[in-house]
Amino acid sequence: MAQNLMAASSGLPSVLVSQQLTAAEVTQYTCPAASSAKLAAATVVNTTGAAVTVSISLVKSGATAGVANRVATFVLAAGDSSVVTELAGHFLGPGDFVSAIASTASAITLVLSGVVFS
């Protein structure tokens, strides 16, 4: 059953993800069962001395992460940071998830915040 946002009894704003990306497509955040989430902001930071390619996907529950679900792909310069505007405002339903991959492991830190409604 889909979560009815109007019937939600709580909305908790929080940091949903704060971690480094790997060089493989990995789930970064999954919306919990019986909940919905609104993504508010996402920031990526390149903590290395070389440019790194970053790709981020929004994936429907039951689907497979990858190029079919991409919402952003870009190159982040050495030591640079960027707000990922493509994620802001999107809603996730139960089991929907955000996945990401970087061309170099442990080079990119992703911070994703939002509100979880339950």
Side-chain angles (χ1 to χ4, degrees):
M1 181 165 89
Q3 172 68 18
N4 180 346
L5 286 178
M6 299 304 286
S9 61
S10 71
L12 181 63
S14 62
V15 173
L16 305 173
V17 172
S18 182
Q19 61 191 17
Q20 288 193 313
L21 302 182
T22 65
E25 186 90 26
V26 174
T27 298
Q28 302 299 314
Y29 174 77
T30 302
C31 186
S35 297
S36 296
K38 182 176 183 184
L39 304 179
T43 304
V44 288
V45 179
N46 183 345
T47 59
T48 69
V52 178
T53 301
V54 179
S55 295
I56 301 174
S57 299
L58 290 177
V59 187
K60 185 80 177 148
S61 179
T64 302
V67 295
N69 311 103
R70 290 283 187 257
V71 294
T73 297
F74 52 91
V75 176
L76 195 59
D80 204 0
S81 64
S82 179
V83 174
V84 186
T85 58
E86 293 86 350
L87 291 178
H90 281 281
F91 283 92
L92 301 177
D96 295 349
F97 61 97
V98 177
S99 70
I101 183 172
S103 60
T104 303
S106 302
I108 302 293
T109 300
L110 169 66
V111 178
L112 176 64
S113 63
V115 179
V116 178
F117 301 94
S118 58

